[in-house]
Amino acid sequence: MGVIERKNAMTAEKPVVEKPVERSAYPFPRAVWDQPPAPRHVGLALGGGAARGLAHIGVLEVLEEAEIPIHRIAGCSAGSVVGALFAAGISAKQMHELALDLRWNTLSTLSLLPRRLSLNVSLKGFPLGLLDLDKLITWLEGLLTDTPEFADLRLPFAAIATDIVTSELVIMNDGAVGPAVRASCSVPGVFTPYRRGERLLVDGGVVANLPVQVVRQMGAEYVIAVNVLPLPGEHRKEPENIVDLTLTSLYALIRANQGYGERAECMIAPDIAHFSLIDLSAAEGLIAAGRAAAEAQLPTIQHDLGLQTHQAEHA
């Protein structure tokens, strides 16, 4: 009898415990709006690409002319230069004029090499980059006389850099603008890193060349991303020297490891693969390519933001 009782106890059904239903089990149904609400904050994500970053100016010209509202900007490398100027209230037309006279000797100087180059010389004596980019800070400060600090800018702006020691993404949006942009532009091997506090910073493109996610975290619901890295299959210009070769190699690694960044509501990719990464004298062609790419996407942006109806009502 005792054996039977033990058997029955072992085979008895266990009480069923109901688990709470997760909200994700009942997804929100697909909604169809008559007039969908427009995003409250539009963000710009401006990617890195060395001299090809001048194409950003052409994109901004089109957005300005079409009165597309911009509320947040995140920029990486060359995108941080253009983004900082735009956030300070410098128009795309003004940037266009500045770009025509821009040369590398305005922004950089050669790093000091050991007096005697020999295989017997310790490599510890070599600089951390071929060029020093501190003149970029001076150039920017001359333009941002009224807005030298992030807090002074007319639009929220963040410059993206990489901590070369920890590999962390460093998002700079406090303090002086010039040094932050300089750090964001410090392409490893080409430009010397920039020390900001305890961190040794290099180009943000090492970990996030197209900062879509950053501008989202800044509060943008609709992101316009400008990618100035050539798309796969496009005809590319061969490197011309060691600087061009280093830049080309870095961006090849970026494409292989990062793809083309987080998905944005609108992606603008100028046709600039045939332009050199180091030719600042090609400003007109690069800006024109930026304009063409932005004009092609403009109807989509206006539709998404509900601006076509609004403009038609006030025409």
Side-chain angles (χ1 to χ4, degrees):
M1 191 69 180
V3 173
I4 295 175
E5 288 176 352
R6 282 198 300 270
K7 185 176 179 181
N8 289 340
M10 292 173 64
T11 57
E13 293 184 3
K14 296 180 179 179
V16 177
V17 179
E18 294 187 2
K19 295 182 179 180
V21 178
E22 298 180 1
R23 287 189 176 184
S24 59
Y26 298 97
F28 189 78
R30 181 175 178 272
V32 181
W33 294 79
D34 282 342
Q35 290 292 335
R40 291 178 298 169
H41 298 107
V42 179
L44 270 180
L46 305 179
R52 290 173 180 161
L54 292 171
H56 289 309
I57 298 173
V59 173
L60 290 178
E61 284 183 340
V62 172
L63 297 182
E64 274 190 331
E65 291 165 7
E67 297 182 353
I68 302 299
I70 303 297
H71 307 101
R72 309 279 190 273
I73 306 174
C76 177
S77 199
S80 73
V81 178
V82 176
L85 295 177
F86 194 72
I90 295 176
S91 69
K93 183 177 180 181
Q94 290 173 295
M95 282 189 259
H96 191 144
E97 294 301 318
L98 290 169
L100 298 181
D101 296 323
L102 196 60
R103 297 295 181 268
W104 285 114
N105 60 7
T106 306
L107 309 174
S108 63
T109 55
L110 283 171
S111 297
L112 294 177
L113 295 171
R115 291 184 179 181
R116 295 181 180 180
L117 293 179
S118 169
L119 293 178
N120 295 323
V121 175
S122 171
L123 293 179
K124 291 182 179 180
F126 280 71
L128 295 177
L130 294 173
L131 300 171
D132 185 277
L133 204 54
D134 286 350
K135 289 177 72 174
L136 172 61
I137 300 176
T138 304
W139 182 79
L140 282 170
E141 288 176 343
L143 296 171
L144 306 179
T145 53
D146 297 327
T147 55
E149 304 279 323
F150 279 94
D152 302 321
L153 298 174
R154 298 185 183 182
L155 294 174
F157 167 68
I160 311 306
T162 303
D163 185 319
I164 195 60
V165 177
T166 66
S167 300
E168 290 175 300
L169 175 66
V170 179
I171 303 168
M172 299 168 287
N173 62 350
D174 190 33
V177 175
V181 171
R182 191 272 195 231
S184 181
C185 294
S186 303
V187 179
V190 177
F191 301 114
T192 54
Y194 186 78
R195 186 167 295 281
R196 190 173 186 261
E198 298 298 317
R199 294 184 180 274
L200 190 63
L201 302 179
V202 298
D203 196 305
V206 173
V207 291
N209 195 59
L210 193 58
V212 173
Q213 191 58 39
V214 173
V215 79
R216 285 202 196 284
Q217 292 176 5
M218 294 169 66
E221 292 98 3
Y222 186 93
V223 177
I224 302 170
V226 186
N227 177 25
V228 289
L229 291 186
L231 298 173
E234 292 184 354
H235 174 70
R236 296 182 176 90
K237 188 176 179 61
E238 289 187 354
E240 298 175 356
N241 53 44
I242 188 172
V243 173
D244 203 357
L245 178 63
T246 303
L247 288 167
T248 302
S249 301
L250 173 65
Y251 291 127
L253 289 171
I254 288 172
R255 281 190 296 269
N257 292 288
Q258 299 179 28
Y260 292 89
E262 298 283 340
R263 184 178 179 85
E265 280 68 30
C266 178
M267 179 72 76
I268 298 175
D271 181 14
I272 52 177
H274 53 291
F275 287 96
S276 168
L277 282 162
I278 60 173
D279 188 6
L280 293 175
S281 66
E284 283 287 16
L286 287 162
I287 293 171
R291 284 193 65 95
E295 287 168 351
Q297 293 295 325
L298 184 59
T300 298
I301 297 171
Q302 291 173 321
H303 175 269
D304 291 348
L305 299 180
L307 296 177
Q308 288 176 321
T309 302
H310 176 77
Q311 290 173 351
E313 290 174 350
H314 292 79

